[in-house]
Amino acid sequence: TDWDRLVDVSIQGDYAYFADWEWGMSVYDISDLNRVRYVSRCGIEGLKAYDIEVQDNLAFLSIGSNDPEDSGFLNIIDISDPLDPQQMSSIELNDHFAREAIVDEDIVYVKGENLYVINIANPEEPEILEVFEMPVNIDEMCLIDDLMLLTGDFNEQNGMRSRCLRAINVENPAEPEFLGELNHEEDLRDIAVLGNLAYVTSGGGDCIQIISIEDPENLALAGSIWIDWPKDICISGNFAYISNNGRDNSMTIMDLENPLRPAVIEAYFVDNDISNIFIQEDIAILPMNNHGCEILDIADRRNPQPIYEFDRHGLNVKEVHYTQNYVVTNWLLNRTYSGFQVFDISNLNQPE
């Protein structure tokens, strides 16, 4: 296959839907783990698929290219029959790519060079409600109720880019309103929110910034936590899980009972860089750069236990999706072959 082919995955029921790079959307039946089957495709021409999201009987495929002369698109696909998906519509963006989408009932927020707000109440005739222009680019986006948080290079003065967290009110999606921003000298990357606090990893430093979003018009630094080169952060319940790729590669678990003074309760060390981190209930999935992935039982936060390790040199897990009792990972091997694996973890003592 194309070396960078299966780039994103969403699961619904017994089917896995992949953003399949130059092929569009590919669908696989995963109901029988001993006989995973390719069943259908909804293709594209001349562009590449970057992201796929599924809601009810619809799939949303973000596509584009690296050529600034091209246009990006959001394709909406009817998947009521997974064996015969049908494209319902395609809406053109002014950017040359669409890299990620958040689906919120009848609204889709698409991350390109700018933020697109698209009404999908009638999926056969989607409508761009607003294009919220960004000075440079968006790294991460996080939707909390009617508040959209974005990290990225938003300010450029005297030829120097300034990293910041930006807050946008999307209560009225047709008229998103810029509320405020907080500039920072270091890279602000991944975002996780608990209550009125945003925890943002700092890509250029050894800390996580705690930012008060209680008054989005006046975002304020409320504290910081020393963490060795944090990359990704997830919050589940009152616990935060952070991937660290510094002097020691690990997943750090913090207790957020006191949200302004989090307490580190455990660090689970691994041999390789953690490229991302995924938490679902009492399961943690740790993709490793070029070394497969590891699945952990984290029911006891102070004593995570490995469930399954899939270690193969050169295997780069790109995305993870967990639903019901399945874990699906799509991977790239030595920049040459791509594929995916499905794990059944209904019995944590004997995963398949």
Side-chain angles (χ1 to χ4, degrees), residues 91-108:
I91 189 163
E92 184 175 3
L93 311 180
N94 293 327
D95 296 339
H96 62 276
F97 63 82
R99 290 289 168 88
E100 182 182 356
I102 295 177
V103 183
D104 183 32
E105 296 181 352
D106 289 339
I107 300 295
V108 179

Side-chain angles (χ1 to χ4, degrees), residues 181-239:
E181 65 184 21
L182 180 69
N183 295 301
H184 197 270
E185 60 184 12
E186 302 288 356
D187 288 355
L188 296 178
R189 298 288 184 179
D190 202 20
I191 313 169
V193 173
L194 179 66
N196 290 321
L197 295 174
Y199 297 79
V200 185
T201 60
S202 177
D206 288 343
C207 67
I208 292 174
Q209 308 296 338
I210 306 175
I211 299 172
S212 173
I213 59 173
E214 184 173 8
D215 179 4
E217 295 184 6
N218 296 285
L219 299 173
L221 185 63
S224 60
I225 313 162
W226 185 90
I227 292 287
D228 188 21
W229 286 96
K231 184 178 181 184
D232 288 280
I233 180 169
C234 293
I235 292 178
S236 179
N238 283 326
F239 295 93

Side-chain angles (χ1 to χ4, degrees), residues 258-296:
N258 184 341
L260 291 175
R261 293 182 178 273
V264 174
I265 60 174
E266 181 59 33
Y268 183 86
F269 292 94
V270 295
D271 294 330
N272 304 288
D273 288 352
I274 302 172
S275 60
N276 212 327
I277 187 167
F278 299 89
I279 304 295
Q280 184 73 31
E281 298 176 351
D282 291 333
I283 300 296
I285 304 117
L286 308 180
M288 312 288 181
N289 279 327
N290 298 315
H291 282 275
C293 74
E294 189 165 350
I295 303 174
L296 307 177

